[in-house]
Amino acid sequence: MTAIDTRTDVTSLYAEVQHFYARQMQLMDRRDFEAFAATFTEDGEFSHSPGQLARTRPGIVAELVRFHRRFDDDPVVRRHWFNMIVLDPQEDGSLRATYYAYVINTRPGSEPQPGPVCVVTDVLVRTDGVLSNRSRHVRQDRLLLEP
Amino acid sequence: MTAIDTRTDVTSLYAEVQHFYARQMQLMDRRDFEAFAATFTEDGEFSHSPGQLARTRPGIVAELVRFHRRFDDDPVVRRHWFNMIVLDPQEDGSLRATYYAYVINTRPGSEPQPGPVCVVTDVLVRTDGVLSNRSRHVRQDRLLLEP
Amino acid sequence: MTAIDTRTDVTSLYAEVQHFYARQMQLMDRRDFEAFAATFTEDGEFSHSPGQLARTRPGIVAELVRFHRRFDDDPVVRRHWFNMIVLDPQEDGSLRATYYAYVINTRPGSEPQPGPVCVVTDVLVRTDGVLSNRSRHVRQDRLLLEP
């Protein structure tokens, strides 16, 4: 891992992070879970629900396979939209990204349905010149409102 | 105020503006109105509805407190999404931004609900090296259709 | 046409492409079809539906006029949102962009309605220093699910 050079201005990294997310989530939405997991570090962590945490690339693939079984009899095209990305350089040379995520689901014969709105917190690192997720934590807005 | 250097290419400012909006609106959505108002100039103007105009940072805070009283008995997480930003340098060294805004509301026990779609026009200036809003005018699409 | 300089890093083009799309689609949503068509090359191609393909700027204007006749008695403000843009340089010096598009429609007296979610593939070229579409192909997600 190389420290991400954030000394001068994280804004210079902004397009790179946007582009990284676009490629990464198009892989997810095509259900190419191996390629998605490869955008994480070897020891990467991914939590999309409270109490759930997948570790390592094979662990992330296994979790995504498990999660998507709910769609086995539910034909749906899912699209992840990320926006309003805030970047904060960390003291260890990593980069924290905090942003909004929105899933839009399309099913046969009906209008697109909004899925949950989430706030996501990533820790990004640079490995061999390219960005990777060291971690991703997803927090659904609807869970913020539970008693 | 320093003139924003737009002589060569406003595209060089694009990521900076996106990042500024992401931080600014995450503050709004956390209802940290003091910090939101601090992203405006001292004499900044903010109009979110026809006939309404808040002036100065304390004036903007007061208006946001007043506006959010409608949510006192309505538990809702609101998220502002900005996108499709067009930047036009102005002759006085400021920068006009014209973009789409979309609010998505999450309430307990229901799917996210779309709020109004808006076109927003900002005038941005650079003060002490950082961007600020000199003004923001929000125009809801539904009001364009009123007779 | 000049080859787009993608040798070093397409990320340097990312903001330029985002800005280009913002201007282009604000023109579409204002129904300024002549100005929209002028963002395509002279021989540009535009396909928004299976089996439909408009060619040349006058051909694109004619198709958009025809398409929008359905709104003659349907007062609606349409907004196109593009996001999750992936850029891939092509061997001929053009740039392929693959991204998500979402239309949000506002009609009098009702909440905004989501239109179709699409994946769009563009080929962009640089002509006289500015980006242009050599082609655009839109694929609606709901059509992916048809038997």
Side-chain angles (χ1 to χ4, degrees), chain B residues 49-61:
Chain B
S49 301
Q52 171 274 324
L53 180 63
R55 281 199 180 87
T56 76
R57 292 172 181 170
I60 291 169
V61 171

Side-chain angles (χ1 to χ4, degrees), chain B residues 41-101:
Chain B
T41 57
E42 296 281 0
D43 60 348
E45 291 189 354
F46 179 37
S47 169
H48 60 74
S49 301
Q52 171 274 324
L53 180 63
R55 281 199 180 87
T56 76
R57 292 172 181 170
I60 291 169
V61 171
E63 170 55 24
L64 290 172
V65 168
R66 188 200 65 76
F67 177 83
H68 282 76
R69 278 199 201 113
R70 69 188 68 188
F71 303 119
D72 280 353
D73 299 311
D74 176 11
V76 59
V77 182
R78 286 159 57 78
R79 300 293 178 197
H80 287 78
W81 291 61
F82 289 0
N83 200 0
M84 309 307 278
I85 303 165
V86 169
L87 299 181
D88 291 298
Q90 304 299 290
E91 291 204 353
D92 65 356
S94 67
L95 188 66
R96 189 180 65 202
T98 309
Y99 55 92
Y100 296 168

Side-chain angles (χ1 to χ4, degrees), chain A residues 15-16 18-19 21-23 25-26 29 75-83 102 104 106-108 110-112, chain C residues 10-11 14 18 81-88 98-102 114-117 119 139 141-142 144-145:
Chain A
E16 185 179 0
Q18 289 177 307
H19 202 187
Y21 285 152
R23 277 193 200 282
M25 298 314 293
Q26 289 195 16
D29 293 338
V76 59
V77 182
R78 287 159 56 79
R79 301 293 178 197
H80 287 78
W81 290 62
F82 289 0
N83 201 0
Y102 186 44
I104 314 179
T106 300
R107 292 184 168 87
S110 61
E111 292 300 302
Chain C
V10 292
T11 299
Y14 207 77
Q18 289 177 306
W81 290 62
F82 289 0
N83 200 1
M84 309 307 278
I85 304 165
V86 169
L87 299 181
D88 291 300
T98 309
Y99 55 92
Y100 296 167
Y102 186 44
V117 179
V119 176
R139 201 185 51 198
D141 278 356
R142 61 184 172 190
L144 295 179
L145 294 162

Side-chain angles (χ1 to χ4, degrees), chain A residues 1 3 50 53-54 56 58 64 75 78 83 104 108 110 112 114 120 122-123 129 147:
Chain A
M1 183 189 126
L53 180 64
T56 77
L64 289 173
R78 287 159 56 79
N83 201 0
I104 314 179
S110 61
V120 187
D122 284 359
V123 175

Side-chain angles (χ1 to χ4, degrees), chain A residues 43-48 52-56 59-64:
Chain A
D43 60 350
E45 291 189 355
F46 179 36
S47 170
H48 60 74
Q52 171 274 325
L53 180 64
R55 280 198 180 89
T56 77
I60 291 169
V61 172
E63 169 56 23
L64 289 173

